[in-house]
Amino acid sequence: QIYLAESGHTLESLGGNVNACLAKRGRCIVVVSEGFDVGTLGERHDGFGHVEYGASGTTAAQVVTNYLNSIKLAARGQASCQVPGILQRGVSIHASTVDIEESYQAGRKAVDIALRHGTGWMATILRAPGAVYTPVFDKVPLKAVANTVRPFPPAWMSKDRLDVTDDFIRYARPLVGDEWPAVRLENGRQRFARLKRVFVGKTLPAYTPMTHR
């Protein structure tokens, strides 16, 4: 069961759905979006006022786990949770090759924008029209996107709002890629990069971060 922030579900409906699944199948895996409304998290906010979940007092996963363990589950055992973070970085071998390449190209585009147009822009990745997935790297004024949120489209949620539709799968499938990333092993460990400090001559004036201006 997938609980998106836009699903409209509550802890109570989540508990009911989980128990219905447990009664039918004896097990249930729940994926909870960080923005799913579980009440207070001891929220801390970033410079834009958005909740910084990793710095907050608790996680949505822990609140959901505590709630499920406080009700009578329709199967033996207890609910437990895992939060992506260190675990996510530990399985980088599963990273999307499409995402790796597009991240590199977006970085190149950002440098090009800075050199050609100066500050006040953000690099973007758009989709060219057509059946074949083709990324287009462009720019957008920072003022147009700063402190804005793009919600998950309701049309991509199933009727019970516990899953995504085939249309979303078709949208996301090209982003997954079809190959393993090229990651070397060194002394039995994945080596992703070996950095060498090569500095270019400074051309721009000193930069002062927004929070220190």
Side-chain angles (χ1 to χ4, degrees):
Q1 298 177 2
I2 302 174
Y3 289 87
L4 297 162
E6 299 84 356
S7 68
H9 280 292
T10 63
L11 277 176
E12 291 74 18
S13 64
L14 181 151
N17 293 329
V18 167
N19 263 340
C21 184
L22 290 175
K24 181 178 180 180
R25 302 179 179 176
R27 61 182 61 87
C28 185
I29 297 175
V30 176
V31 180
V32 181
S33 166
E34 284 183 327
F36 182 70
D37 185 10
V38 296
T40 182
L41 297 173
E43 293 87 354
R44 295 182 182 274
H45 299 82
D46 61 18
F48 288 111
H50 298 150
V51 177
E52 195 168 347
Y53 293 99
S56 295
T58 188
T59 63
Q62 191 61 62
V63 175
V64 169
T65 301
N66 293 345
Y67 176 76
L68 289 175
N69 286 328
S70 72
I71 64 177
K72 183 175 177 56
L73 294 177
R76 294 178 58 187
Q78 302 180 86
S80 62
C81 65
Q82 297 288 342
V83 179
I86 300 299
L87 292 175
Q88 182 176 335
R89 291 190 286 274
V91 292
S92 296
I93 189 63
H94 296 287
S96 163
T97 53
V98 175
D99 187 53
I100 292 171
E101 176 62 21
E102 291 187 359
S103 297
Y104 176 76
Q105 295 299 336
R108 290 189 61 180
K109 183 66 176 180
V111 172
D112 181 67
I113 293 169
L115 293 174
R116 292 173 179 267
H117 306 284
T119 62
W121 300 92
M122 188 179 78
T124 60
I125 306 175
L126 305 174
R127 286 191 180 210
V132 178
Y133 173 71
T134 304
V136 177
F137 300 90
D138 206 340
K139 68 182 188 303
V140 65
L142 193 56
K143 290 182 179 180
V145 294
N147 204 25
T148 62
V149 177
R150 178 177 291 179
F152 192 86
W156 282 353
M157 284 187 277
S158 60
K159 290 183 179 180
D160 59 9
R161 292 164 289 137
L162 297 177
D163 202 351
V164 295
T165 65
D166 289 342
D167 284 339
F168 172 76
I169 299 299
R170 281 188 286 270
Y171 166 84
R173 180 62 186 86
L175 306 177
V176 176
D178 295 295
E179 301 175 0
W180 289 97
V183 179
R184 293 181 59 181
L185 286 179
E186 190 171 288
N187 296 322
R189 301 176 64 187
Q190 301 172 27
R191 178 171 71 79
F192 295 96
R194 177 174 286 132
L195 304 180
K196 181 179 179 181
R197 294 185 178 183
V198 179
F199 297 100
V200 299
K202 184 177 179 179
T203 59
L204 299 175
Y207 173 73
T208 303
M210 289 291 296
T211 54
H212 296 290
R213 295 180 186 178

CSV table of all heavy atoms in Angstrom, one decimal, residues 70-92:
chain,number,residue,atom,x,y,z
A,70,SER,N,-0.3,0.3,18.2
A,70,SER,CA,-1.2,0.6,19.3
A,70,SER,C,-2.6,0.1,19.1
A,70,SER,O,-3.4,0.1,20.0
A,70,SER,CB,-1.3,2.2,19.5
A,70,SER,OG,-2.0,2.7,18.4
A,71,ILE,N,-2.8,-0.4,17.9
A,71,ILE,CA,-4.2,-1.0,17.6
A,71,ILE,C,-4.0,-2.5,17.5
A,71,ILE,O,-2.9,-3.0,17.4
A,71,ILE,CB,-4.8,-0.4,16.3
A,71,ILE,CG1,-3.9,-0.8,15.1
A,71,ILE,CG2,-4.9,1.1,16.4
A,71,ILE,CD1,-4.5,-0.3,13.7
A,72,LYS,N,-5.1,-3.2,17.5
A,72,LYS,CA,-5.0,-4.7,17.4
A,72,LYS,C,-4.8,-5.1,15.9
A,72,LYS,O,-5.8,-4.9,15.1
A,72,LYS,CB,-6.3,-5.3,18.0
A,72,LYS,CG,-6.2,-6.8,18.0
A,72,LYS,CD,-7.5,-7.4,18.7
A,72,LYS,CE,-7.5,-8.9,18.6
A,72,LYS,NZ,-6.2,-9.5,19.2
A,73,LEU,N,-3.7,-5.6,15.6
A,73,LEU,CA,-3.4,-6.0,14.2
A,73,LEU,C,-4.0,-7.3,14.0
A,73,LEU,O,-4.1,-8.2,14.8
A,73,LEU,CB,-1.9,-6.1,14.0
A,73,LEU,CG,-1.1,-4.7,14.0
A,73,LEU,CD1,0.4,-5.0,13.8
A,73,LEU,CD2,-1.7,-3.8,13.0
A,74,ALA,N,-4.4,-7.5,12.7
A,74,ALA,CA,-5.2,-8.7,12.3
A,74,ALA,C,-4.2,-9.9,12.0
A,74,ALA,O,-4.6,-10.8,11.2
A,74,ALA,CB,-6.1,-8.4,11.1
A,75,ALA,N,-3.0,-9.8,12.5
A,75,ALA,CA,-2.0,-10.9,12.2
A,75,ALA,C,-1.0,-10.9,13.4
A,75,ALA,O,-0.9,-9.9,14.1
A,75,ALA,CB,-1.3,-10.7,10.9
A,76,ARG,N,-0.3,-12.0,13.5
A,76,ARG,CA,0.7,-12.1,14.6
A,76,ARG,C,1.9,-11.1,14.3
A,76,ARG,O,2.2,-10.8,13.1
A,76,ARG,CB,1.3,-13.5,14.7
A,76,ARG,CG,0.2,-14.5,15.2
A,76,ARG,CD,0.8,-15.9,15.2
A,76,ARG,NE,2.0,-15.9,16.1
A,76,ARG,CZ,2.8,-17.0,16.2
A,76,ARG,NH1,2.6,-18.1,15.4
A,76,ARG,NH2,3.9,-17.0,17.0
A,77,GLY,N,2.6,-10.7,15.3
A,77,GLY,CA,3.8,-9.9,15.2
A,77,GLY,C,3.5,-8.4,15.3
A,77,GLY,O,2.4,-8.0,15.7
A,78,GLN,N,4.5,-7.6,15.1
A,78,GLN,CA,4.4,-6.2,15.3
A,78,GLN,C,4.8,-5.5,14.0
A,78,GLN,O,5.6,-6.0,13.2
A,78,GLN,CB,5.3,-5.7,16.4
A,78,GLN,CG,5.0,-6.3,17.8
A,78,GLN,CD,6.0,-5.8,18.8
A,78,GLN,OE1,5.7,-4.8,19.4
A,78,GLN,NE2,7.1,-6.5,19.0
A,79,ALA,N,4.4,-4.2,13.9
A,79,ALA,CA,4.8,-3.4,12.7
A,79,ALA,C,6.2,-2.9,13.0
A,79,ALA,O,6.6,-2.6,14.2
A,79,ALA,CB,3.9,-2.2,12.5
A,80,SER,N,7.1,-2.8,12.0
A,80,SER,CA,8.4,-2.2,12.1
A,80,SER,C,8.6,-1.3,10.9
A,80,SER,O,7.9,-1.4,9.9
A,80,SER,CB,9.5,-3.2,12.2
A,80,SER,OG,9.5,-4.0,11.1
A,81,CYS,N,9.6,-0.4,11.0
A,81,CYS,CA,9.8,0.6,9.9
A,81,CYS,C,11.3,0.7,9.5
A,81,CYS,O,12.2,0.4,10.3
A,81,CYS,CB,9.2,1.9,10.2
A,81,CYS,SG,10.1,2.8,11.6
A,82,GLN,N,11.5,1.2,8.3
A,82,GLN,CA,12.8,1.5,7.8
A,82,GLN,C,12.7,2.9,7.1
A,82,GLN,O,11.8,3.1,6.4
A,82,GLN,CB,13.4,0.5,6.8
A,82,GLN,CG,13.6,-0.9,7.4
A,82,GLN,CD,14.8,-0.9,8.4
A,82,GLN,OE1,15.6,0.0,8.4
A,82,GLN,NE2,14.9,-2.0,9.2
A,83,VAL,N,13.7,3.7,7.3
A,83,VAL,CA,13.7,5.1,6.7
A,83,VAL,C,14.8,5.2,5.7
A,83,VAL,O,16.0,5.0,6.2
A,83,VAL,CB,13.7,6.2,7.7
A,83,VAL,CG1,13.7,7.6,7.0
A,83,VAL,CG2,12.6,6.1,8.7
A,84,PRO,N,14.6,5.4,4.4
A,84,PRO,CA,15.8,5.6,3.5
A,84,PRO,C,16.7,6.7,4.0
A,84,PRO,O,16.2,7.7,4.5
A,84,PRO,CB,15.1,6.0,2.2
A,84,PRO,CG,13.7,5.4,2.3
A,84,PRO,CD,13.3,5.6,3.7
A,85,GLY,N,17.9,6.5,3.8
A,85,GLY,CA,18.9,7.5,4.3
A,85,GLY,C,20.3,6.8,4.1
A,85,GLY,O,20.8,6.7,3.0
A,86,ILE,N,20.9,6.4,5.2
A,86,ILE,CA,22.1,5.6,5.1
A,86,ILE,C,21.9,4.3,4.3
A,86,ILE,O,22.7,3.9,3.5
A,86,ILE,CB,22.6,5.3,6.5
A,86,ILE,CG1,22.9,6.6,7.3
A,86,ILE,CG2,23.9,4.4,6.4
A,86,ILE,CD1,24.0,7.4,6.7
A,87,LEU,N,20.7,3.7,4.5
A,87,LEU,CA,20.4,2.5,3.8
A,87,LEU,C,20.3,2.8,2.3
A,87,LEU,O,20.8,2.0,1.5
A,87,LEU,CB,19.0,2.0,4.3
A,87,LEU,CG,18.9,1.4,5.7
A,87,LEU,CD1,17.5,1.0,6.0
A,87,LEU,CD2,19.8,0.2,5.8
A,88,GLN,N,19.8,3.9,1.9
A,88,GLN,CA,19.6,4.3,0.5
A,88,GLN,C,21.0,4.4,-0.1
A,88,GLN,O,21.3,4.0,-1.2
A,88,GLN,CB,18.8,5.6,0.4
A,88,GLN,CG,18.6,6.1,-1.0
A,88,GLN,CD,17.7,7.3,-1.0
A,88,GLN,OE1,16.9,7.5,-0.1
A,88,GLN,NE2,17.9,8.1,-2.0
A,89,ARG,N,21.9,5.1,0.6
A,89,ARG,CA,23.3,5.3,0.1
A,89,ARG,C,24.0,4.0,0.0
A,89,ARG,O,25.0,3.8,-0.8
A,89,ARG,CB,24.0,6.3,0.9
A,89,ARG,CG,23.5,7.7,0.8
A,89,ARG,CD,24.4,8.7,1.4
A,89,ARG,NE,24.3,8.7,2.9
A,89,ARG,CZ,23.5,9.4,3.6
A,89,ARG,NH1,22.5,10.1,3.0
A,89,ARG,NH2,23.5,9.4,4.9
A,90,GLY,N,23.6,3.0,0.8
A,90,GLY,CA,24.3,1.7,0.8
A,90,GLY,C,24.0,0.8,-0.3
A,90,GLY,O,24.6,-0.2,-0.5
A,91,VAL,N,22.9,1.2,-1.1
A,91,VAL,CA,22.5,0.4,-2.3
A,91,VAL,C,22.6,1.2,-3.5
A,91,VAL,O,21.8,1.1,-4.4
A,91,VAL,CB,21.1,-0.2,-2.1
A,91,VAL,CG1,21.1,-1.2,-1.0
A,91,VAL,CG2,20.1,0.9,-1.8
A,92,SER,N,23.7,2.0,-3.6
A,92,SER,CA,23.9,2.9,-4.8
A,92,SER,C,24.1,2.1,-6.1
A,92,SER,O,24.0,2.6,-7.2
A,92,SER,CB,25.0,3.9,-4.6
A,92,SER,OG,24.7,4.7,-3.5
